[in-house]
């Protein structure tokens, strides 16, 4: 696919995330090494790799839950710099779903969902609640609205977490191992919601080991190891014809069972 | 092959022998030889001591009269407490003005009741400002000079009402102060952090008695000779600073118990620092730290009796001067101190009950 400068204006080809030479250290430990990644609007990207490979760290840099020390990051035409304004502008466009859901345990499901619209987007409460109910219906748990997170199953909590991000109408969704803490029977209900979201054209970066999900929805699969992007390809090629020996080893290990 | 239908077994009641009072006693009182021995020893000790104690406290006690001469029976002389009750509760506050003390106490009770009965939505908007205004409204009424009432010098304030009001006033102001210090202590800004750490460590590491002496003896040396800061005001400031340092550490332990994911989730939604702190972190910290917050309240409340060392006529001080009164030299120390202990115990125990009910109210972790 060749893209010239003019066609970037076209919405479907707009480069919404541009990471250039990103490097990150924890103290002296070099966690991310020369990461280069460009994501176009509407693209679905799956990131996989062994634990400690830096995949979570990389996506957490995108909404600045982690800082990087060298390189550049542009999200939706806003450059990530120290300025609080830029950070807030980027966080408004980027939703994130965590491995451990991170719902606010002292608030009801509905309050979890309306918090952002009310306090960040300054919407009136009625409007925020209407939006919240819309997304709760989309993840199929409107009847749980008045319960507390502790009363829901893991799968339900993760769907609430997805709905909470969607309430902020983000342009990009980041998923950080969203199904790793779930029982097998609950993984499917969360993946179904994510597939639906992908079908609607949401830009997604998803760190996951659900290879079925990757084959089904990903436009590109990225394999990381030791802080580097080792291989990057469209799913068919990635799974059937991996180019690097490290990728082959990883795939043989996770697909064995 | 056709799959067979899976049917879950119905629930059955637990065997009778494992529930009910008999089973409870068997499990808890007579489960082993040692347990049986403990049960027998404690029960027989209670049987031999209780009748005598109850007889002295209640049945043979002297309940009515006006002077020491009315205490003719063997038991406790509660007449002593009765005769001094006004001083014990109000100190030397003038007779005709005591309604102002009662009003202050009622305002305090009213605000506490308000914060428990208001729906959550209004609680933050009404109860919080009410709490913060309360000490100053009480001050206006008790002093009186600024609102056209007879001025009452703070030398005359005293008794148990003073213990309650100064403790409440300190707790109310120390609460936000302590929270700010705790925030400062974990702040990224070196200046805010070092100021907070210094304050916390100084006031926490100094005995309250030393602080009271410093406040009453040393502080005036730093002021110009024509400026006098009221003694009670100085005491209040010291109690606030002392308690803030304890509250700051209580809050800090709460902060540390909040999972990092809560901050990350709040950040990813785009909440700012104060929104994150007040909407997400603070409510969870309060819940986690509730038992320690209560312990600090109780500690400060009980520490108000130390005010007697700088001659503030709080409850214990009143009892002690009553004991040395020439009309009451019959040795009523036991009654006096028991009464002080009893009143403080009643108050602290009700605070415990209140705190337990708050904890239940805040607990949203219940599983299905």
């Amino acid at each position: 696919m060749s893209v010239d400068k003019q066609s970037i204006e076209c919405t479907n080809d707009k480069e919404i995330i541009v990471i250039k030479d990103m490097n990150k250290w924890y103290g002296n430990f070099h966690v991310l090494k020369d990461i280069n990644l460009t994501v176009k609007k509407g693209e679905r990207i799956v990131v996989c790799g062994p634990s400690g490979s830096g995949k979570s760290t990389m996506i957490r840099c995108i909404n600045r839950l982690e800082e990087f020390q060298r390189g550049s990051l542009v999200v939706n035409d806003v450059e990530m710099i120290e300025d609080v304004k830029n950070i807030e502008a980027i966080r408004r466009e980027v939703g994130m779903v965590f491995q451990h859901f991170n719902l606010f345990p002292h608030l009801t499901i509905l309050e979890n969902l309306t918090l952002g619209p009310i306090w960040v987007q300054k919407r009136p409460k009625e409007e925020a609640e209407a939006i919240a109910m819309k997304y709760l219906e989309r993840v199929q748990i409107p009847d749980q609205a008045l319960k507390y997170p502790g009363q829901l199953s893991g799968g339900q909590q993760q769907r609430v977490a997805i709905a909470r991000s969607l309430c902020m109408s983000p342009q990009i969704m980041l998923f950080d191992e969203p199904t790793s803490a779930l029982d097998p029977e609950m993984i499917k209900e969360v993946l179904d919601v994510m597939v639906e979201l992908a079908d609607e054209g949401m830009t997604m970066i998803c760190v996951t080991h659900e290879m079925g999900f990757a084959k089904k929805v990903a436009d590109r699969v990225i394999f990381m190891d030791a802080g580097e992007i080792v291989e990057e390809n469209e799913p068919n090629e990635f799974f059937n014809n991996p180019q690097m020996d490290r990728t082959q080893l990883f795939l043989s290990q996770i697909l064995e069972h | 092959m056709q799959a067979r239908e899976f049917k879950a077994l119905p629930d059955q009641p637990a065997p009778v022998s494992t529930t009910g009072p008999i089973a409870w006693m068997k499990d808890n009182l007579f489960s082993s030889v040692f347990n049986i021995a403990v049960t027998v020893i404690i029960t027989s000790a209670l049987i031999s001591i209780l009748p005598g104690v109850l007889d002295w406290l209640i049945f043979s006690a002297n309940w009515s009269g006006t002077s020491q001469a009315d205490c003719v029976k063997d038991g406790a002389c509660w007449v002593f407490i009765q005769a001094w009750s006004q001083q014990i509760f109000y100190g030397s506050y003038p007779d005709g003005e005591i309604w102002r003390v009662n009003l202050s106490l009622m305002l305090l009770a009213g605000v506490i009741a308000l914060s428990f009965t208001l729906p959550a939505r209004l609680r933050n908007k009404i109860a919080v400002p009410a709490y913060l205004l309360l000490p100053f409204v009480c001050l206006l009424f008790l002093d009186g000079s600024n609102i056209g009432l007879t001025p009452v010098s703070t030398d005359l304030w005293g008794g148990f009402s003073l213990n309650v009001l100064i403790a409440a006033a300190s707790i109310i102001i120390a609460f936000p102060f302590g929270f700010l210090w705790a925030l400062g202590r974990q702040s990224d800004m070196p200046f805010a952090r070092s100021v907070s750490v210094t304050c916390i460590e100084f006031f926490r590491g100094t005995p309250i008695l030393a602080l009271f002496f410093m406040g009453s003896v040393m502080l005036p040396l730093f002021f110009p000779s024509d400026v006098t800061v009221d003694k009670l005001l100085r005491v209040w400031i010291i109690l606030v600073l002392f308690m803030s340092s304890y509250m700051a550490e209580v809050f800090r332990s709460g902060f540390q118990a909040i999972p990092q994911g809560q901050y990350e989730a709040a950040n990813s939604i785009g909440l700012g620092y104060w929104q994150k702190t007040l909407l997400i972190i603070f409510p969870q910290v309060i819940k986690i730290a509730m038992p320690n917050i209560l312990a600090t309240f109780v500690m400060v409340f009980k520490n108000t009796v130390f005010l007697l060392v700088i001659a503030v006529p709080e409850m214990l001080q009143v009892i002690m001067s009553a004991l040395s009164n020439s009309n009451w030299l019959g040795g009523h120390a036991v009654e006096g101190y028991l009464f002080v202990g009893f009143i403080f115990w009643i108050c602290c125990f009700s605070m415990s009950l209140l705190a337990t009910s708050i904890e239940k109210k805040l607990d949203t972790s219940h599983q299905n």
Side-chain angles (χ1 to χ4, degrees):
Chain A
M1 207 181 343
S2 69
V3 183
D4 58 34
K5 287 251 161 68
Q6 267 81 39
S7 67
I8 289 173
E9 302 303 319
C10 166
T11 38
N12 277 336
D13 279 351
K14 182 186 162 169
E15 295 181 339
I16 198 163
I17 300 175
V18 181
I19 301 176
K20 278 207 181 103
D21 297 323
M22 182 193 272
N23 279 270
K24 175 177 175 59
W25 288 265
Y26 285 123
N28 278 325
F29 178 54
H30 201 167
V31 261
L32 292 180
K33 297 172 183 165
D34 293 333
I35 301 289
N36 283 288
L37 178 67
T38 304
V39 180
K40 298 201 184 72
K41 195 167 167 54
E43 245 189 325
R44 278 94 46 162
I45 298 199
V46 164
V47 184
C48 60
S51 52
S53 60
K55 48 196 194 307
S56 286
T57 311
M58 181 183 78
I59 70 163
R60 287 155 60 88
C61 281
I62 295 173
N63 66 347
R64 209 176 212 228
L65 294 183
E66 304 277 358
E67 290 174 41
F68 53 91
Q69 282 77 35
R70 208 172 71 204
S72 71
L73 165 66
V74 177
V75 180
N76 202 30
D77 298 328
V78 180
E79 172 143 35
M80 177 65 83
I81 47 173
E82 276 292 329
D83 195 335
V84 180
K85 284 237 166 61
N86 285 27
I87 296 172
E88 282 178 356
I90 290 175
R91 281 179 177 162
R92 272 199 297 275
E93 301 301 335
V94 181
M96 185 153 196
V97 175
F98 301 88
Q99 182 179 357
H100 296 290
F101 333 133
N102 296 353
L103 295 178
F104 305 127
H106 61 298
L107 300 177
T108 62
I109 300 306
L110 191 62
E111 287 165 340
N112 264 278
L113 267 63
T114 55
L115 195 74
I118 290 175
W119 291 91
V120 180
Q121 299 178 334
K122 313 285 180 203
R123 289 178 198 269
K125 195 175 170 216
E126 292 70 29
E127 194 189 329
E129 283 179 352
I131 296 172
M133 289 313 294
K134 184 180 95 186
Y135 284 111
L136 275 184
E137 263 155 41
R138 230 175 94 176
V139 299
Q140 290 164 10
I141 35 178
D143 47 327
Q144 313 283 356
L146 298 179
K147 290 193 181 167
Y148 285 93
Q151 296 167 289
L152 268 56
S153 74
Q156 289 174 325
Q157 289 193 47
Q158 193 62 296
R159 284 186 280 157
V160 170
I162 295 173
R164 178 174 69 179
S165 291
L166 293 176
C167 280
M168 299 296 290
S169 33
Q171 301 216 35
I172 302 160
M173 287 286 285
L174 306 175
F175 292 85
D176 189 359
E177 307 206 27
T179 56
S180 302
L182 296 177
D183 291 345
E185 283 186 324
M186 296 172 180
I187 291 178
K188 186 180 177 298
E189 63 187 50
V190 171
L191 288 180
D192 285 347
V193 170
M194 290 167 64
V195 170
E196 198 182 307
L197 203 56
D199 290 344
E200 287 163 20
M202 174 66 78
T203 312
M204 294 163 72
I205 302 184
C206 185
V207 173
T208 184
H209 294 125
E210 296 296 330
M211 290 304 140
F213 174 78
K215 284 176 190 162
K216 200 163 172 186
V217 305
D219 295 312
R220 256 190 297 162
V221 180
I222 288 174
F223 173 66
M224 288 181 75
D225 187 29
E228 289 179 65
I229 293 181
V230 176
E231 187 162 352
E232 181 180 345
N233 217 329
E234 56 95 16
N236 241 333
E237 279 291 295
F238 181 85
F239 289 110
N240 299 327
N241 188 18
Q243 302 295 308
M244 308 287 284
D245 57 345
R246 183 67 188 90
T247 319
Q248 287 171 1
L249 178 67
F250 178 76
L251 286 176
S252 72
Q253 275 167 348
I254 61 165
L255 297 178
E256 219 166 61
H257 301 285
Chain B
M1 191 173 80
Q2 170 102 40
R4 287 186 299 130
E5 188 189 357
F6 167 71
K7 258 198 188 139
L9 292 170
D11 292 344
Q12 291 174 353
V16 183
S17 61
T18 60
T19 57
I22 305 278
W24 182 88
M25 278 166 64
K26 229 163 93 186
D27 279 353
N28 294 289
L29 298 179
F30 304 106
S31 62
S32 66
V33 177
F34 178 70
N35 198 344
I36 292 171
V38 170
T39 305
V40 169
I41 291 172
I42 292 184
T43 314
S44 50
L46 283 179
I47 289 172
S48 63
I49 294 171
L50 263 187
V53 171
L54 287 179
D55 187 55
W56 185 85
L57 279 176
I58 300 169
F59 304 116
S60 309
N62 300 278
W63 291 95
S64 60
T66 49
S67 74
Q68 187 159 231
D70 295 321
C71 286
V72 286
K73 290 199 271 180
D74 293 341
C77 179
W78 298 122
V79 178
F80 169 70
I81 302 294
Q82 233 168 53
W84 288 93
S85 58
Q86 185 174 335
Q87 279 85 343
I88 289 174
F89 281 99
Y90 301 106
S92 315
Y93 212 85
D95 270 355
E97 307 294 332
I98 279 177
W99 65 271
R100 282 146 65 175
V101 182
N102 289 334
L103 177 72
S104 302
L105 291 170
M106 267 154 34
L107 282 176
L108 173 63
V111 173
I112 293 175
L114 201 65
S115 62
F116 271 85
T117 47
L118 280 178
R121 203 159 31 85
L122 296 172
R123 203 184 303 144
N124 298 343
K125 288 193 184 116
I126 297 176
V128 172
Y131 268 115
L132 293 174
L133 278 178
L134 183 71
F136 303 99
V137 173
C138 291
L139 202 61
L140 279 183
F141 271 104
L142 292 175
D143 174 64
S145 56
N146 289 320
I147 50 170
L149 295 170
T150 325
V152 178
S153 151
T154 55
D155 299 341
L156 303 176
W157 304 10
F160 186 61
S161 57
L162 180 66
N163 293 66
V164 171
L165 289 173
I166 201 161
S170 309
I171 287 167
I172 288 166
I173 306 296
F175 203 88
F177 254 90
F179 192 69
L180 284 179
W181 281 2
L183 282 180
R185 184 162 195 157
Q186 54 162 24
S187 154
D188 296 331
M189 293 177 278
F191 190 69
R193 193 170 55 232
S194 47
V195 168
S196 305
V197 171
T198 313
C199 288
I200 292 169
E201 293 304 331
F202 176 77
F203 288 105
R204 216 165 55 106
T206 318
I208 184 85
L209 284 180
L211 287 172
F212 282 151
F213 278 123
M214 268 190 250
S216 68
V217 183
M218 276 170 56
L219 270 188
L221 301 179
F222 297 110
F223 292 116
S225 54
D226 53 335
V227 176
T228 53
V229 178
D230 187 85
K231 180 153 89 180
L232 218 48
L233 184 61
R234 279 177 273 151
V235 163
W236 183 26
I237 294 172
I238 286 168
L239 272 174
V240 165
L241 293 173
F242 179 75
M243 183 169 179
S244 300
S245 67
Y246 273 86
M247 290 300 288
E249 290 299 276
V250 166
F251 285 132
R252 186 163 72 110
S253 66
F255 278 123
Q256 282 171 349
I258 306 274
Q260 199 56 33
Q262 292 290 307
Y263 292 91
E264 290 175 356
N267 282 338
S268 74
I269 289 178
L271 294 176
Y273 177 79
W274 287 107
Q275 290 175 337
K276 185 171 60 184
T277 304
L278 294 176
L279 299 171
I280 306 298
I281 307 304
F282 182 66
Q284 298 189 59
V285 165
I286 293 289
K287 188 192 137 200
I288 295 168
M290 204 60 217
N292 290 334
I293 291 174
L294 175 83
T296 314
F297 283 8
V298 167
M299 178 192 73
V300 165
F301 179 49
K302 291 194 299 181
N303 275 349
T304 55
V305 299
F306 287 140
L307 290 176
L308 68 88
V309 300
I310 50 170
V312 171
E314 52 68 57
M315 188 191 202
L316 189 57
Q317 168 84 350
V318 172
I319 294 275
M320 286 168 75
S321 52
L323 286 174
S324 57
N325 184 292
S326 56
N327 292 327
W328 291 92
L329 288 175
H332 305 296
V334 180
E335 289 92 330
Y337 296 138
L338 261 183
F339 185 69
V340 173
F342 179 69
I343 295 291
F344 270 92
W345 176 78
I346 289 275
C347 290
C348 295
F349 187 63
S350 353
M351 281 159 82
S352 276
L353 292 180
L354 268 185
T356 314
S357 87
I358 299 176
E359 274 171 58
K360 283 215 184 97
K361 218 173 187 174
L362 294 178
D363 186 16
T364 56
S365 65
H366 34 65
Q367 302 291 318
N368 318 337

